Amino acid sequence: MGRRKKIVQECEKLMDKPDQIRNIAIAAHVDHGKTTLSDNLLAGAGMISDETAGQQLAMDTKDDEQERGITIDAANVSMTHEYEDRNHLINLIDTPGHVDFGGDVTRAMRAVDGALVVVDAVEGAMPQTETVLRQALREGVKPALFINKVDRLISELQEGPQEMQERLLKVIRNVNELIRGMTEDMDDVDDWTVSVEEGTVGFGSALYKWGVSMPSMQATGLDFGDIIDMERNDQRQELHEKTPLSDVVLDMVCEHFPDPLDAQPRRIPRIWRGDDTLDVAEQMRLVDDDGEVVLMVTDIGIDPHAGEVASGRVFSGGLEKGQELYVSGTAGKNRVQSVGIYMGGEREEVERVPAGNIAAVTGLRDAIAGSTVSSIEMTPFESIEHISEPVITKS
Ligand code: GDP
Protein backbone atom coordinates (compact mmCIF):
# COMPACT_ATOMS: atom_id res chain seq x y z
CA MET A 1 0.00 0.00 0.00
CA GLY A 2 1.27 3.49 -0.87
CA ARG A 3 2.32 5.82 1.92
CA ARG A 4 -0.42 8.24 1.08
CA LYS A 5 -3.16 5.60 1.16
CA LYS A 6 -1.84 4.45 4.53
CA ILE A 7 -2.02 7.96 5.96
CA VAL A 8 -5.60 8.36 4.66
CA GLN A 9 -6.54 5.10 6.40
CA GLU A 10 -4.92 6.24 9.63
CA CYS A 11 -6.82 9.53 9.43
CA GLU A 12 -10.08 7.68 8.80
CA LYS A 13 -9.54 5.53 11.90
CA LEU A 14 -9.24 8.65 14.05
CA MET A 15 -12.04 10.72 12.53
CA ASP A 16 -14.72 9.41 14.88
CA LYS A 17 -12.59 9.85 18.02
CA PRO A 18 -13.07 13.55 18.77
CA ASP A 19 -10.82 13.52 21.84
CA GLN A 20 -7.95 12.61 19.50
CA ILE A 21 -8.69 15.36 16.96
CA ARG A 22 -7.13 18.82 16.83
CA ASN A 23 -8.37 21.37 14.29
CA ILE A 24 -5.75 24.04 13.95
CA ALA A 25 -4.68 27.01 11.87
CA ILE A 26 -1.25 28.48 11.42
CA ALA A 27 -1.33 32.24 11.06
CA ALA A 28 1.34 34.90 10.78
CA HIS A 29 2.44 38.21 9.41
CA VAL A 30 3.65 37.77 5.84
CA ASP A 31 7.16 36.25 5.53
CA HIS A 32 7.39 35.22 9.17
CA GLY A 33 7.64 31.58 8.06
CA LYS A 34 4.16 30.08 8.15
CA THR A 35 4.55 28.15 4.89
CA THR A 36 8.00 26.84 5.80
CA LEU A 37 6.67 25.71 9.18
CA SER A 38 3.65 24.00 7.58
CA ASP A 39 5.97 22.10 5.27
CA ASN A 40 7.97 20.92 8.28
CA LEU A 41 4.81 19.52 9.80
CA LEU A 42 3.88 17.71 6.59
CA ALA A 43 7.39 16.25 6.37
CA GLY A 44 7.23 15.24 10.04
CA ALA A 45 3.97 13.43 9.33
CA GLY A 46 5.64 11.61 6.43
CA MET A 47 3.63 13.36 3.74
CA ILE A 48 6.48 15.06 1.91
CA SER A 49 10.14 14.15 2.09
CA ASP A 50 12.26 15.70 4.78
CA GLU A 51 14.76 17.06 2.28
CA THR A 52 12.20 18.97 0.27
CA ALA A 53 10.36 20.52 3.23
CA GLY A 54 10.79 24.26 2.91
CA GLN A 55 11.37 24.09 -0.83
CA GLN A 56 8.27 22.20 -1.84
CA LEU A 57 5.74 24.70 -0.47
CA ALA A 58 3.21 21.90 -0.44
CA MET A 59 0.47 24.08 0.97
CA ASP A 60 0.79 26.56 -1.88
CA THR A 61 -1.33 24.74 -4.42
CA LYS A 62 -2.09 27.48 -6.90
CA ASP A 63 0.36 28.23 -9.66
CA ASP A 64 0.21 31.95 -9.10
CA GLU A 65 1.04 31.37 -5.44
CA GLN A 66 4.22 29.54 -6.39
CA GLU A 67 5.13 32.34 -8.75
CA ARG A 68 4.42 35.15 -6.35
CA GLY A 69 5.79 33.22 -3.41
CA ILE A 70 2.88 34.06 -1.17
CA THR A 71 0.07 31.91 0.15
CA ILE A 72 -3.31 32.93 -1.23
CA ASP A 73 -5.99 30.38 -0.43
CA ALA A 74 -6.40 28.77 2.93
CA ALA A 75 -5.38 25.20 2.06
CA ASN A 76 -6.31 22.28 4.25
CA VAL A 77 -4.44 19.16 5.15
CA SER A 78 -5.05 16.27 7.53
CA MET A 79 -2.17 14.38 9.16
CA THR A 80 -1.57 12.11 12.13
CA HIS A 81 0.81 12.49 15.06
CA GLU A 82 1.65 10.15 17.92
CA TYR A 83 1.77 11.88 21.30
CA GLU A 84 1.99 10.13 24.66
CA ASP A 85 1.28 6.74 23.07
CA ARG A 86 -1.90 7.95 21.37
CA ASN A 87 -2.31 8.75 17.75
CA HIS A 88 -3.92 12.11 16.94
CA LEU A 89 -5.62 13.42 13.83
CA ILE A 90 -4.51 16.95 13.08
CA ASN A 91 -6.58 18.91 10.60
CA LEU A 92 -4.50 21.90 9.62
CA ILE A 93 -5.66 24.96 7.76
CA ASP A 94 -2.98 27.14 6.28
CA THR A 95 -4.04 30.77 6.25
CA PRO A 96 -2.94 33.45 3.85
CA GLY A 97 -0.37 35.79 5.30
CA HIS A 98 -0.74 38.54 2.77
CA VAL A 99 -2.47 41.72 3.79
CA ASP A 100 -5.09 41.52 1.03
CA PHE A 101 -6.45 38.14 2.06
CA GLY A 102 -7.70 38.82 5.56
CA GLY A 103 -11.18 37.52 4.78
CA ASP A 104 -9.82 34.03 4.21
CA VAL A 105 -7.99 34.10 7.52
CA THR A 106 -11.19 34.96 9.37
CA ARG A 107 -13.05 32.15 7.63
CA ALA A 108 -10.29 29.66 8.41
CA MET A 109 -10.58 30.57 12.11
CA ARG A 110 -14.24 29.52 12.11
CA ALA A 111 -13.23 25.94 11.26
CA VAL A 112 -10.53 25.49 13.91
CA ASP A 113 -10.15 25.43 17.70
CA GLY A 114 -6.47 26.37 18.03
CA ALA A 115 -4.22 28.85 16.22
CA LEU A 116 -0.47 28.63 16.11
CA VAL A 117 0.75 32.19 15.66
CA VAL A 118 4.17 32.41 14.04
CA VAL A 119 6.30 35.46 14.82
CA ASP A 120 9.69 36.27 13.32
CA ALA A 121 12.21 36.60 16.17
CA VAL A 122 13.99 39.48 14.46
CA GLU A 123 10.93 41.52 13.46
CA GLY A 124 8.77 40.70 16.47
CA ALA A 125 4.98 41.11 16.51
CA MET A 126 3.80 43.08 13.48
CA PRO A 127 0.39 44.63 12.60
CA GLN A 128 -0.82 41.43 11.00
CA THR A 129 0.19 39.42 14.06
CA GLU A 130 -2.28 41.59 15.91
CA THR A 131 -4.94 41.08 13.25
CA VAL A 132 -4.66 37.28 13.22
CA LEU A 133 -4.72 37.17 17.01
CA ARG A 134 -7.85 39.30 17.05
CA GLN A 135 -9.48 37.07 14.43
CA ALA A 136 -8.63 33.93 16.42
CA LEU A 137 -9.78 35.26 19.77
CA ARG A 138 -12.99 36.67 18.39
CA GLU A 139 -13.86 33.18 17.11
CA GLY A 140 -13.03 31.62 20.48
CA VAL A 141 -9.90 29.97 19.06
CA LYS A 142 -7.05 29.36 21.52
CA PRO A 143 -3.65 30.77 20.57
CA ALA A 144 -0.14 29.34 20.98
CA LEU A 145 3.07 31.04 19.86
CA PHE A 146 5.97 29.89 17.75
CA ILE A 147 8.91 32.28 17.53
CA ASN A 148 10.65 31.52 14.25
CA LYS A 149 13.98 32.42 12.61
CA VAL A 150 15.89 32.07 15.89
CA ASP A 151 18.84 30.94 13.73
CA ARG A 152 19.14 34.53 12.55
CA LEU A 153 19.61 35.81 16.09
CA ILE A 154 22.52 33.42 16.48
CA SER A 155 24.22 33.44 13.09
CA GLU A 156 23.45 36.89 11.73
CA LEU A 157 23.00 39.06 14.78
CA GLN A 158 25.58 37.08 16.78
CA GLU A 159 23.52 37.28 19.94
CA GLY A 160 24.57 35.45 23.09
CA PRO A 161 22.19 33.51 25.39
CA GLN A 162 21.37 36.54 27.55
CA GLU A 163 20.58 38.89 24.68
CA MET A 164 18.63 36.21 22.87
CA GLN A 165 16.53 35.37 25.89
CA GLU A 166 15.74 39.04 26.46
CA ARG A 167 14.65 39.45 22.87
CA LEU A 168 12.45 36.36 22.96
CA LEU A 169 10.87 37.40 26.24
CA LYS A 170 10.08 40.78 24.74
CA VAL A 171 8.25 39.11 21.84
CA ILE A 172 6.26 36.98 24.30
CA ARG A 173 5.44 40.01 26.45
CA ASN A 174 4.20 41.92 23.41
CA VAL A 175 2.03 39.03 22.23
CA ASN A 176 0.59 38.59 25.73
CA GLU A 177 -0.22 42.28 26.00
CA LEU A 178 -2.18 41.95 22.75
CA ILE A 179 -3.98 38.81 23.98
CA ARG A 180 -4.82 40.39 27.34
CA GLY A 181 -6.22 43.49 25.65
CA MET A 182 -8.39 41.38 23.36
CA THR A 183 -9.73 38.93 25.97
CA GLU A 184 -10.40 41.15 28.97
CA ASP A 185 -14.10 41.41 28.14
CA MET A 186 -14.47 37.73 27.19
CA ASP A 187 -15.95 35.83 30.12
CA ASP A 188 -16.03 32.46 28.35
CA VAL A 189 -12.29 31.90 28.19
CA ASP A 190 -9.68 31.32 30.86
CA ASP A 191 -6.36 33.06 30.72
CA TRP A 192 -5.30 32.61 27.10
CA THR A 193 -1.94 34.31 27.36
CA VAL A 194 0.97 32.13 26.22
CA SER A 195 3.71 30.94 28.51
CA VAL A 196 7.08 29.23 28.16
CA GLU A 197 6.63 27.40 31.45
CA GLU A 198 3.25 26.03 30.44
CA GLY A 199 4.60 24.91 27.06
CA THR A 200 2.43 27.17 24.87
CA VAL A 201 5.47 28.90 23.40
CA GLY A 202 7.94 27.26 21.03
CA PHE A 203 11.13 28.63 19.48
CA GLY A 204 13.20 27.55 16.54
CA SER A 205 14.04 27.67 12.90
CA ALA A 206 11.57 26.49 10.29
CA LEU A 207 14.29 26.87 7.67
CA TYR A 208 16.72 24.56 9.48
CA LYS A 209 13.91 22.39 10.89
CA TRP A 210 14.72 22.49 14.59
CA GLY A 211 12.55 23.68 17.41
CA VAL A 212 12.42 23.74 21.18
CA SER A 213 9.89 24.30 23.94
CA MET A 214 10.18 23.98 27.71
CA PRO A 215 8.91 20.36 27.66
CA SER A 216 11.19 19.45 24.72
CA MET A 217 14.24 20.98 26.45
CA GLN A 218 13.46 18.97 29.55
CA ALA A 219 13.15 15.81 27.47
CA THR A 220 16.31 16.29 25.36
CA GLY A 221 18.50 18.05 27.96
CA LEU A 222 19.44 20.70 25.36
CA ASP A 223 19.54 24.28 26.61
CA PHE A 224 19.93 27.60 24.77
CA GLY A 225 23.71 27.45 25.20
CA ASP A 226 23.87 24.06 23.42
CA ILE A 227 21.62 25.34 20.65
CA ILE A 228 23.77 28.43 20.09
CA ASP A 229 26.89 26.25 19.94
CA MET A 230 25.34 23.84 17.47
CA GLU A 231 23.97 26.61 15.22
CA ARG A 232 27.36 28.35 15.17
CA ASN A 233 29.30 25.14 14.57
CA ASP A 234 27.28 24.24 11.51
CA GLN A 235 25.59 21.32 13.29
CA ARG A 236 22.13 22.25 12.08
CA GLN A 237 21.35 18.79 10.77
CA GLU A 238 22.28 17.32 14.13
CA LEU A 239 20.11 19.90 15.86
CA HIS A 240 17.21 18.93 13.57
CA GLU A 241 17.70 15.26 14.37
CA LYS A 242 17.97 15.87 18.13
CA THR A 243 15.03 18.22 18.39
CA PRO A 244 12.92 18.15 15.20
CA LEU A 245 10.64 21.13 14.78
CA SER A 246 7.65 19.06 13.67
CA ASP A 247 7.67 16.91 16.83
CA VAL A 248 8.01 19.90 19.12
CA VAL A 249 5.17 21.80 17.43
CA LEU A 250 2.83 18.82 17.01
CA ASP A 251 3.37 17.74 20.64
CA MET A 252 2.43 21.28 21.65
CA VAL A 253 -0.69 21.09 19.46
CA CYS A 254 -1.81 17.77 20.98
CA GLU A 255 -1.12 18.85 24.56
CA HIS A 256 -2.42 22.42 24.56
CA PHE A 257 -5.01 22.91 21.87
CA PRO A 258 -8.56 21.91 22.75
CA ASP A 259 -10.18 18.94 21.05
CA PRO A 260 -13.66 19.49 19.56
CA LEU A 261 -15.33 18.12 22.72
CA ASP A 262 -13.60 20.81 24.78
CA ALA A 263 -14.00 23.56 22.23
CA GLN A 264 -17.52 23.25 20.85
CA PRO A 265 -19.48 23.86 24.11
CA ARG A 266 -17.65 27.19 24.38
CA ARG A 267 -17.55 28.07 20.71
CA ILE A 268 -21.14 27.26 19.66
CA PRO A 269 -22.80 30.01 21.78
CA ARG A 270 -20.22 32.44 20.38
CA ILE A 271 -20.77 31.62 16.69
CA TRP A 272 -24.40 30.50 16.62
CA ARG A 273 -27.23 32.59 18.04
CA GLY A 274 -30.17 30.21 17.53
CA ASP A 275 -32.41 28.89 20.30
CA ASP A 276 -29.99 27.15 22.67
CA THR A 277 -32.70 24.87 24.04
CA LEU A 278 -33.16 23.09 20.70
CA ASP A 279 -31.84 19.55 20.22
CA VAL A 280 -29.57 20.71 17.44
CA ALA A 281 -27.94 23.27 19.79
CA GLU A 282 -27.16 20.50 22.26
CA GLN A 283 -25.95 18.23 19.45
CA MET A 284 -23.53 20.88 18.22
CA ARG A 285 -22.22 21.62 21.72
CA LEU A 286 -21.65 17.91 22.35
CA VAL A 287 -20.17 17.08 18.90
CA ASP A 288 -22.97 14.53 18.56
CA ASP A 289 -22.12 12.20 15.73
CA ASP A 290 -25.69 10.83 15.67
CA GLY A 291 -27.22 14.30 15.64
CA GLU A 292 -28.48 16.40 12.75
CA VAL A 293 -25.86 17.14 10.13
CA VAL A 294 -24.50 20.68 10.56
CA LEU A 295 -21.65 21.95 8.41
CA MET A 296 -20.31 25.48 8.34
CA VAL A 297 -18.72 26.16 4.95
CA THR A 298 -15.54 28.20 5.30
CA ASP A 299 -14.12 28.01 1.80
CA ILE A 300 -15.09 27.09 -1.78
CA GLY A 301 -12.32 25.76 -3.99
CA ILE A 302 -12.26 24.55 -7.57
CA ASP A 303 -11.16 21.02 -8.39
CA PRO A 304 -10.28 20.56 -12.09
CA HIS A 305 -12.28 17.31 -12.17
CA ALA A 306 -15.00 17.65 -9.55
CA GLY A 307 -15.75 21.36 -9.96
CA GLU A 308 -16.65 23.33 -6.86
CA VAL A 309 -15.56 21.81 -3.57
CA ALA A 310 -16.88 23.23 -0.32
CA SER A 311 -14.75 22.83 2.76
CA GLY A 312 -15.75 23.47 6.32
CA ARG A 313 -16.27 22.27 9.83
CA VAL A 314 -18.75 19.53 10.69
CA PHE A 315 -20.20 20.60 14.05
CA SER A 316 -22.66 17.73 14.46
CA GLY A 317 -23.85 14.60 12.66
CA GLY A 318 -21.87 12.89 9.92
CA LEU A 319 -21.55 13.93 6.28
CA GLU A 320 -22.20 11.23 3.70
CA LYS A 321 -22.70 10.95 -0.02
CA GLY A 322 -26.34 11.18 -1.10
CA GLN A 323 -27.56 13.33 1.79
CA GLU A 324 -30.02 16.08 0.87
CA LEU A 325 -29.06 19.17 2.83
CA TYR A 326 -30.42 22.67 3.32
CA VAL A 327 -28.13 25.54 2.41
CA SER A 328 -28.77 28.74 4.40
CA GLY A 329 -30.16 31.64 2.44
CA THR A 330 -31.35 29.47 -0.48
CA ALA A 331 -34.53 27.56 -1.23
CA GLY A 332 -34.54 23.79 -1.68
CA LYS A 333 -31.85 21.28 -0.90
CA ASN A 334 -28.52 20.21 -2.40
CA ARG A 335 -27.44 16.61 -2.76
CA VAL A 336 -23.99 15.64 -1.45
CA GLN A 337 -22.00 14.04 -4.30
CA SER A 338 -18.91 13.08 -2.36
CA VAL A 339 -17.25 13.70 0.98
CA GLY A 340 -13.55 13.69 1.73
CA ILE A 341 -10.60 15.05 3.63
CA TYR A 342 -7.58 16.98 2.40
CA MET A 343 -4.11 15.53 2.12
CA GLY A 344 -1.52 18.14 1.23
CA GLY A 345 -3.81 20.13 -1.00
CA GLU A 346 -5.41 17.05 -2.59
CA ARG A 347 -8.82 15.75 -1.76
CA GLU A 348 -9.22 12.11 -0.74
CA GLU A 349 -12.74 10.73 -0.76
CA VAL A 350 -13.89 8.84 2.33
CA GLU A 351 -17.20 7.15 3.23
CA ARG A 352 -18.20 9.56 5.97
CA VAL A 353 -16.87 12.63 7.73
CA PRO A 354 -18.08 12.65 11.36
CA ALA A 355 -18.74 15.63 13.67
CA GLY A 356 -15.66 17.51 14.85
CA ASN A 357 -13.75 17.25 11.56
CA ILE A 358 -12.96 19.46 8.60
CA ALA A 359 -14.56 18.06 5.45
CA ALA A 360 -14.34 18.54 1.69
CA VAL A 361 -17.75 18.20 0.04
CA THR A 362 -18.93 18.25 -3.56
CA GLY A 363 -22.49 18.73 -4.76
CA LEU A 364 -23.35 21.76 -2.61
CA ARG A 365 -23.94 23.94 -5.65
CA ASP A 366 -25.73 26.72 -3.75
CA ALA A 367 -23.19 27.00 -0.95
CA ILE A 368 -20.81 29.90 -0.59
CA ALA A 369 -18.14 30.58 2.00
CA GLY A 370 -20.12 31.31 5.16
CA SER A 371 -23.12 29.05 4.35
CA THR A 372 -24.67 26.86 6.99
CA VAL A 373 -25.44 23.44 5.47
CA SER A 374 -27.72 21.21 7.52
CA SER A 375 -30.15 18.29 7.52
CA ILE A 376 -32.86 20.44 9.16
CA GLU A 377 -33.83 24.03 8.54
CA MET A 378 -32.08 26.05 11.21
CA THR A 379 -30.74 29.46 12.21
CA PRO A 380 -27.51 29.94 10.26
CA PHE A 381 -24.19 30.57 11.95
CA GLU A 382 -23.23 34.15 12.65
CA SER A 383 -21.79 35.75 9.58
CA ILE A 384 -18.03 35.79 9.64
CA GLU A 385 -16.85 39.24 10.41
CA HIS A 386 -13.87 40.26 8.40
CA ILE A 387 -11.40 42.29 10.36
CA SER A 388 -9.49 44.32 7.84
CA GLU A 389 -6.02 45.70 8.09
CA PRO A 390 -5.60 49.39 8.74
CA VAL A 391 -5.68 50.96 5.29
CA ILE A 392 -2.96 53.43 4.54
CA THR A 393 -4.04 55.85 1.86
CA LYS A 394 -1.78 58.25 0.10
CA SER A 395 -3.03 61.81 -0.10
P1 GDP B 1 5.11 33.03 5.03
O1 GDP B 1 4.88 34.23 4.17
O2 GDP B 1 4.82 33.33 6.48
O3 GDP B 1 4.44 31.77 4.57
O4 GDP B 1 6.71 32.79 5.03
P2 GDP B 1 7.59 31.71 4.25
O5 GDP B 1 7.50 30.39 4.93
O6 GDP B 1 7.29 31.76 2.81
O7 GDP B 1 9.03 32.30 4.56
C1 GDP B 1 9.43 33.59 4.15
C2 GDP B 1 10.94 33.63 3.97
O8 GDP B 1 11.59 33.43 5.22
C3 GDP B 1 11.47 32.54 3.03
O9 GDP B 1 12.53 33.08 2.30
C4 GDP B 1 11.97 31.48 4.00
O10 GDP B 1 13.01 30.67 3.47
C5 GDP B 1 12.47 32.31 5.15
N1 GDP B 1 12.39 31.58 6.41
C6 GDP B 1 11.35 30.88 6.91
N2 GDP B 1 11.67 30.35 8.10
C7 GDP B 1 12.95 30.73 8.39
C8 GDP B 1 13.83 30.48 9.48
O11 GDP B 1 13.52 29.81 10.46
N3 GDP B 1 15.08 31.05 9.40
C9 GDP B 1 15.47 31.82 8.35
N4 GDP B 1 16.71 32.31 8.38
N5 GDP B 1 14.66 32.06 7.30
C10 GDP B 1 13.41 31.52 7.30
Side-chain angles (χ1 to χ4, degrees), residues 113-128:
D113 304 316
L116 185 64
V117 177
V118 181
V119 175
D120 180 327
V122 181
E123 283 198 1
M126 294 291 278
Q128 248 181 297

mmCIF file of all heavy atoms in Angstrom, residues 113-128:
data_model
loop_
_atom_site.group_PDB
_atom_site.id
_atom_site.type_symbol
_atom_site.label_atom_id
_atom_site.label_comp_id
_atom_site.label_asym_id
_atom_site.label_seq_id
_atom_site.Cartn_x
_atom_site.Cartn_y
_atom_site.Cartn_z
ATOM 1 N N ASP A 113 -10.027 25.178 16.259
ATOM 2 C CA ASP A 113 -10.146 25.434 17.696
ATOM 3 C C ASP A 113 -8.852 25.973 18.295
ATOM 4 O O ASP A 113 -8.835 26.428 19.433
ATOM 5 C CB ASP A 113 -10.525 24.144 18.427
ATOM 6 C CG ASP A 113 -11.796 23.536 17.856
ATOM 7 O OD1 ASP A 113 -12.753 24.287 17.598
ATOM 8 O OD2 ASP A 113 -11.818 22.302 17.636
ATOM 9 N N GLY A 114 -7.757 25.878 17.547
ATOM 10 C CA GLY A 114 -6.466 26.374 18.032
ATOM 11 C C GLY A 114 -5.729 27.072 16.903
ATOM 12 O O GLY A 114 -5.852 26.670 15.746
ATOM 13 N N ALA A 115 -4.997 28.142 17.247
ATOM 14 C CA ALA A 115 -4.224 28.853 16.217
ATOM 15 C C ALA A 115 -2.778 28.977 16.671
ATOM 16 O O ALA A 115 -2.503 29.501 17.756
ATOM 17 C CB ALA A 115 -4.809 30.240 15.976
ATOM 18 N N LEU A 116 -1.883 28.463 15.833
ATOM 19 C CA LEU A 116 -0.468 28.631 16.107
ATOM 20 C C LEU A 116 -0.023 29.912 15.417
ATOM 21 O O LEU A 116 -0.061 30.015 14.190
ATOM 22 C CB LEU A 116 0.301 27.428 15.565
ATOM 23 C CG LEU A 116 1.787 27.424 15.886
ATOM 24 C CD1 LEU A 116 2.013 27.322 17.390
ATOM 25 C CD2 LEU A 116 2.478 26.265 15.184
ATOM 26 N N VAL A 117 0.356 30.890 16.217
ATOM 27 C CA VAL A 117 0.748 32.187 15.661
ATOM 28 C C VAL A 117 2.273 32.213 15.540
ATOM 29 O O VAL A 117 2.981 31.999 16.523
ATOM 30 C CB VAL A 117 0.230 33.328 16.567
ATOM 31 C CG1 VAL A 117 0.678 34.684 16.046
ATOM 32 C CG2 VAL A 117 -1.293 33.258 16.669
ATOM 33 N N VAL A 118 2.734 32.413 14.316
ATOM 34 C CA VAL A 118 4.172 32.405 14.045
ATOM 35 C C VAL A 118 4.672 33.853 14.026
ATOM 36 O O VAL A 118 4.091 34.697 13.341
ATOM 37 C CB VAL A 118 4.475 31.741 12.678
ATOM 38 C CG1 VAL A 118 5.976 31.707 12.412
ATOM 39 C CG2 VAL A 118 3.898 30.329 12.631
ATOM 40 N N VAL A 119 5.721 34.108 14.788
ATOM 41 C CA VAL A 119 6.300 35.459 14.818
ATOM 42 C C VAL A 119 7.800 35.359 14.540
ATOM 43 O O VAL A 119 8.495 34.536 15.131
ATOM 44 C CB VAL A 119 6.042 36.146 16.181
ATOM 45 C CG1 VAL A 119 6.745 37.498 16.252
ATOM 46 C CG2 VAL A 119 4.553 36.333 16.425
ATOM 47 N N ASP A 120 8.271 36.196 13.658
ATOM 48 C CA ASP A 120 9.693 36.274 13.316
ATOM 49 C C ASP A 120 10.446 36.883 14.511
ATOM 50 O O ASP A 120 10.098 37.972 14.977
ATOM 51 C CB ASP A 120 9.797 37.179 12.071
ATOM 52 C CG ASP A 120 11.210 37.370 11.565
ATOM 53 O OD1 ASP A 120 12.139 37.395 12.385
ATOM 54 O OD2 ASP A 120 11.368 37.537 10.343
ATOM 55 N N ALA A 121 11.467 36.157 14.982
ATOM 56 C CA ALA A 121 12.205 36.599 16.172
ATOM 57 C C ALA A 121 12.885 37.950 15.960
ATOM 58 O O ALA A 121 13.049 38.721 16.907
ATOM 59 C CB ALA A 121 13.255 35.552 16.539
ATOM 60 N N VAL A 122 13.273 38.233 14.723
ATOM 61 C CA VAL A 122 13.989 39.484 14.455
ATOM 62 C C VAL A 122 13.000 40.649 14.373
ATOM 63 O O VAL A 122 13.204 41.703 14.966
ATOM 64 C CB VAL A 122 14.818 39.380 13.149
ATOM 65 C CG1 VAL A 122 15.582 40.672 12.889
ATOM 66 C CG2 VAL A 122 15.773 38.191 13.215
ATOM 67 N N GLU A 123 11.909 40.429 13.648
ATOM 68 C CA GLU A 123 10.933 41.522 13.457
ATOM 69 C C GLU A 123 10.009 41.715 14.651
ATOM 70 O O GLU A 123 9.496 42.804 14.870
ATOM 71 C CB GLU A 123 10.076 41.254 12.218
ATOM 72 C CG GLU A 123 10.797 41.555 10.926
ATOM 73 C CD GLU A 123 9.825 41.719 9.765
ATOM 74 O OE1 GLU A 123 8.606 41.620 9.974
ATOM 75 O OE2 GLU A 123 10.304 41.940 8.651
ATOM 76 N N GLY A 124 9.728 40.630 15.365
ATOM 77 C CA GLY A 124 8.773 40.699 16.474
ATOM 78 C C GLY A 124 7.346 40.785 15.973
ATOM 79 O O GLY A 124 7.081 40.650 14.769
ATOM 80 N N ALA A 125 6.400 41.028 16.883
ATOM 81 C CA ALA A 125 4.980 41.105 16.509
ATOM 82 C C ALA A 125 4.766 42.286 15.570
ATOM 83 O O ALA A 125 5.267 43.378 15.827
ATOM 84 C CB ALA A 125 4.126 41.241 17.756
ATOM 85 N N MET A 126 4.058 42.046 14.495
ATOM 86 C CA MET A 126 3.798 43.082 13.483
ATOM 87 C C MET A 126 2.284 43.315 13.393
ATOM 88 O O MET A 126 1.515 42.556 13.963
ATOM 89 C CB MET A 126 4.349 42.618 12.129
ATOM 90 C CG MET A 126 5.864 42.482 12.093
ATOM 91 S SD MET A 126 6.697 44.073 12.193
ATOM 92 C CE MET A 126 6.606 44.593 10.486
ATOM 93 N N PRO A 127 1.838 44.337 12.633
ATOM 94 C CA PRO A 127 0.392 44.630 12.600
ATOM 95 C C PRO A 127 -0.467 43.419 12.273
ATOM 96 O O PRO A 127 -1.524 43.212 12.865
ATOM 97 C CB PRO A 127 0.287 45.680 11.495
ATOM 98 C CG PRO A 127 1.617 46.335 11.461
ATOM 99 C CD PRO A 127 2.627 45.320 11.887
ATOM 100 N N GLN A 128 0.010 42.592 11.354
ATOM 101 C CA GLN A 128 -0.818 41.431 11.002
ATOM 102 C C GLN A 128 -0.832 40.355 12.069
ATOM 103 O O GLN A 128 -1.755 39.550 12.126
ATOM 104 C CB GLN A 128 -0.327 40.827 9.711
ATOM 105 C CG GLN A 128 -1.326 41.019 8.605
ATOM 106 C CD GLN A 128 -0.802 40.374 7.366
ATOM 107 O OE1 GLN A 128 0.236 40.783 6.852
ATOM 108 N NE2 GLN A 128 -1.481 39.352 6.915
#
